[in-house]
Amino acid sequence: MSRSRLCCWAVLGLLCILLSNAHAAPPNTRPVEGLRENTPRVHALTGARIVVAPGRVIKHGTVVIRDGVIEAVGDVEPPADARRWDLAGKTIYAGLLDAYGEQTIEASAAKRGSPHWNSLVTPQLNVADHYEADAALNKTLRSQGVTARLVAPAAGILKGASAVVLTGDDPNREAILNAHAAQHLRLTVPRGRGRDNYPNSPMGAVALARQAMYDARWYRQAWAAYQADTSLSRPERNDALAALQRYPESSHLLVADAPNELFVLRADRFAREFSLNVAIRGSGHEYKRLEAIKKTGRTVIVPLDFPKPPNIATAESARRVSLSELMHWDVAPENAARLDKAGIRVALTSHGLPDRGTFLSAVRKAVARGLAADAALRALTTTPAELFDVSEQLGTVERGKLANLLVADGDLFDKQAKVVETWVAGRRYEVVAKPLFDVRGTWRIKPQGDTPPLVMELSGTAAKLKGAIRTADKKEEKKEVKLVRVGLRDARFSCTFNAKTLLGGGIARLTAVVDNESWTGRMVLGDGREIAFTAKRLSASNGKESKSGDEEKSKDEKPAAASFAVNYPLRAFGRTAKPKRPAAVLFKNATVWTCGKAGVLEAASVLVVRGKVRAVGQNVTAPDEVLVIDATGKHITPGIIDCHSHMATDGGVNESTQAITAEVRIGDFIDADDMNIYRQLAGGVTTSNILHGSANPIGGQNQVIKLRWGALPEAMKFTKAPPGIKFALGENVKQSNWGDEYTTRYPQTRMGVEQIMRDEFHAAQDYRARWEQWKQSRQGLPPRVDLELEAIAEIIEGSRWIHCHSYRQDEILALIRTLDDFHITIGSFQHILEGYKVADAMAKHGAMGSGFSDWWAYKFEVYDAIPYAGALMHNAGVVVSFNSDDRELARHLNQEAAKAVKYGGVPPEEALKFVTLNPAKQLRIQKYVGSLEKGKQADLVVWSGPPLSIFSRCEQTWIDGRKYFDLDQDRSARAKASKIRNVLTQKILDSGEEMKSDDEKDKDESELWPRDDIFCLRHDHGSR
């Protein structure tokens, strides 16, 4: 070759090197310290099966990586400058993206700049500004094939923005792929949050988030107005509201936490109110309301922390386990599969797993329980990449994408497959180190001295060896001993075995330095003797990794599918479908207590057509194809209405932090799964007024519901009922019964209670006036939406009714006079224990009273309560009802009504109205329910005898012409529940899974409010 040609080749080579080095590291502004690193970063992964994307496979191909980016995929020739990696027999997948993780941001960060007034509203925070890589966690995640993950702020309501980060060892400037992946929302607060910090209830959290969203909208308008006209007052600077401006009515993603399945629906309602693009971080319970969640159209990030079996090891511990716990254990592993099959877009996360190193095992369990392999891969790659706007970099094995890969030695979702290595931005991380030597096979061991030779056989997998040792004498082959603690690290082999029958020396320890053909080592016997030896290979393994019997069994056996259909709610007495409504139903030959003008009718009939009462009387003509129910000897009444209840609330009944919390809504947290709904149906209750507690002079908004057991929370709401709100007077609100530490919140006296109410009414009047003025002119900045004053303004306008907790006559009169000054008629006085003293004033004002039948002397301000109060108010012309304020008492309100007959001689027919028509009047729904009259909704109860008798039982309860309770069906349901319990108990015992200990909590249980109203009543001033 000529000198000139050599020169050309040298220049060309140098140019190639320079061009290669120009791309050797991501461009950055950091100055070089010391010598520049110019190591080429070119790799060729050859001979592998390549899963390019879910459903797209290259059976045999090559992936070329240059400077951290995929340069080529498929049947391509590796570049000359590439380092080759032979991956024959292996499969390459896109690196997995874990769809959720958390990092705590120091509280001081939220105080910097111009924060929101509430420390739980921190949307201006960004994980990218505070991210600190957890090397140990990243290593664990890489072992599961996870090469990128979402990291979100851990605390708050509007928590801040998350970031998508790599799980490699790169610095933040290279590890953070998307510094603003999503805003994060949690519509609840941790249980146990004190009374000094607003909010301290889930409904307060929703109210705060709603107000923040309205404020962000107004903040944008305020700054736009100021920039257009600088003569206007300059708005405040608020970093939180400025950060929130991008979300309403935009495509920016917001991820809402849903600690249970009902929170998914709450988050969806919140999103629709503000036109938000919301995805859901689920709880693993979504299957419980699958159809409703499907209708939201939201993507769900699904955790895989499947529950341990509850402790049913003994008969005693089994009695403490609910049927819902047993059923959830049985169904939970199918949650992801059921969501996917319903057409819901799913992403998966390791968050919540006690050991993140079990993530792949959990995914494989989900696949074994019905999740399609391609669906699982989508949920781990393309779906989260699209969701968090990194699909141009991650999710598939394609040219131009970041070289985030996982290499497995088999199908990723096979239980025996292992992730052998991961690549993060083109950097290789070995997960399962390949042994230097394959020692599987048969070895002849020759000890020094007189010790007879031995034969060792090794099998199993390279990562988990097993084997046996025996004498070389074929006559004594039966003297075979199993090896234990078998290990191979680099070139050092070790094991122990019982040498008693072979060498007469107790437990022997064997160690050796090995290669593929020979060993040198020693044995230490139980008596202390040391014997040196050498070993030669007699035969090699076939190269295939043998599997233990247990592994083979686990591969062949498919996990049992859930044993029973999901009912709604998931528990005893849950329904699999909504009760059917017959086109027409005729109840005949009954004693009918109409609670209307017709009074009590003997041998009468009630005709219901399409859910409404068509006719009541002795001579009722029924249409063709009517369902006839012979009620001979039975009594029929309207459905019982409870005017004061705290059941069916998910997360407490009090926002007890402030004196006025009119912005909070009980309706945001109706718990459709509360067993008390069913139990009260069994007592004839069809409608219930769910009230906020009595911790505040002006509390939250109430919610009237119908007890449509099995329905969703929104479907339970009595839509015809006008809105209401809870007020309260006396000891609870001036905090005299809260303890000595609660002496700072205004008001602390009854006089202060009156004044704060007056002040709030005046503020609401001014608020409405400002809005009316702006609506007329449509000029300048509109007033700020204030959810608290909106509710109070509705009271003044007459569209929202007050239901006021009250005891003493002086405070009752004070409130009446205050309301008269503002031309407000109260909806009802609740408890009203001294109402008999001022019944004339109540009647004059138009006030109604919902009280207790015979409760007294349970605290100081109740000492003058008497059981004749209801009758005395009734005789004075006050509309009176008896309520429960207690989940157990509500099951026999018919008997409470009977006490008005005993204490005061109220006629039985009028006494029954205390729990039917009169509470309907107090709730302003008497047009629809409360009596059996033509045109009213068919809410009725069939009793075995007179409804005021303690010997009578509720046999059937109908709502809207549908039968929601039936005594015979109840017996069948009990038998079915017993059968389910027995089957699932046996299934747990047969599974061999480790059971949950009695003191072991479910995930997030410490943070979730109990869906149980006894907590609300005892700890939250929910009632008395």
Side-chain angles (χ1 to χ4, degrees), residues 456-630:
M456 180 185 291
E457 293 181 349
L458 295 174
S459 60
T461 67
K464 190 175 182 180
L465 292 168
K466 61 180 183 176
I469 190 168
R470 57 179 171 81
T471 61
D473 188 348
K474 291 186 178 181
K475 296 179 180 180
E476 299 186 3
E477 280 186 354
K478 292 182 179 180
K479 293 182 179 180
E480 185 175 87
V481 177
K482 184 178 180 181
L483 301 178
V484 295
R485 301 183 184 89
V486 184
L488 176 64
R489 183 171 182 178
D490 298 328
R492 183 180 180 84
F493 175 86
S494 62
C495 69
T496 63
F497 60 93
N498 190 336
K500 183 177 180 180
T501 59
L502 299 179
L503 304 173
I507 303 298
R509 290 166 290 169
L510 181 150
T511 59
V513 176
V514 304
D515 62 26
N516 283 326
E517 299 300 329
S518 63
W519 294 4
T520 301
R522 63 176 182 160
M523 290 180 285
V524 180
L525 305 183
D527 56 11
R529 286 181 295 154
E530 293 190 14
I531 303 174
F533 70 87
T534 59
K536 295 288 185 182
R537 186 190 289 276
L538 296 179
S539 63
S541 70
N542 59 10
K544 294 182 179 180
E545 295 189 347
S546 63
K547 299 175 177 60
S548 68
D550 290 342
E551 289 172 329
E552 291 288 358
K553 181 180 178 181
S554 65
K555 183 178 180 180
D556 295 339
E557 289 184 358
K558 291 185 178 180
S563 299
F564 299 94
V566 173
N567 57 14
Y568 304 98
L570 188 80
R571 62 190 318 157
F573 307 106
R575 298 186 175 279
T576 54
K578 187 177 183 179
K580 292 182 179 179
R581 185 173 70 189
V585 187
L586 178 66
F587 301 86
K588 67 176 186 178
N589 303 326
T591 300
V592 180
W593 299 58
T594 67
C595 292
K597 294 179 181 178
V600 180
L601 304 175
E602 300 289 346
S605 298
V606 178
L607 177 63
V608 174
V609 178
R610 288 190 294 275
K612 291 189 176 181
V613 176
R614 174 67 64 85
V616 181
Q618 278 91 1
N619 300 305
V620 174
T621 303
D624 295 335
E625 298 182 2
V626 64
L627 172 64
V628 177
I629 296 177
D630 186 356

Side-chain angles (χ1 to χ4, degrees), residues 162-216:
S162 56
V164 176
V165 301
L166 298 176
T167 60
D169 298 329
D170 296 313
N172 284 4
R173 63 181 180 272
E174 297 172 19
I176 297 173
L177 297 186
N178 184 350
H180 206 294
Q183 179 66 224
H184 289 261
L185 170 72
R186 185 175 176 88
L187 294 174
T188 186
V189 293
R191 193 173 93 191
R193 185 172 164 84
R195 288 174 172 155
D196 294 328
N197 299 298
Y198 178 87
N200 71 344
S201 70
M203 57 185 170
V206 173
L208 178 60
R210 292 180 69 231
Q211 186 65 68
M213 298 305 292
Y214 279 113
D215 286 349

Side-chain angles (χ1 to χ4, degrees), residues 305-364:
D305 48 338
F306 306 129
K308 287 183 179 180
N311 186 359
I312 48 86
T314 66
E316 292 75 19
S317 60
R319 291 192 187 99
R320 293 192 292 268
V321 176
S322 68
L323 187 63
S324 60
E325 286 181 90
L326 292 170
M327 295 181 75
H328 179 56
W329 167 80
D330 193 33
V331 184
E334 297 177 11
N335 183 55
R338 294 182 182 221
L339 290 170
D340 178 71
K341 289 175 183 176
I344 299 168
R345 193 165 71 144
V346 168
L348 299 178
T349 177
S350 68
H351 186 72
L353 286 170
D355 176 6
R356 306 286 270 274
T358 62
F359 182 40
L360 267 181
S361 295
V363 174
R364 290 163 177 167

Side-chain angles (χ1 to χ4, degrees), residues 15 98 174 203 276 296 421 550 557 574 643 769 977-978 997:
L15 181 61
D98 189 339
E174 297 172 19
M203 57 185 170
L276 300 172
T296 69
E421 61 189 57
D550 290 342
E557 289 184 358
C643 199
S978 179
S997 63

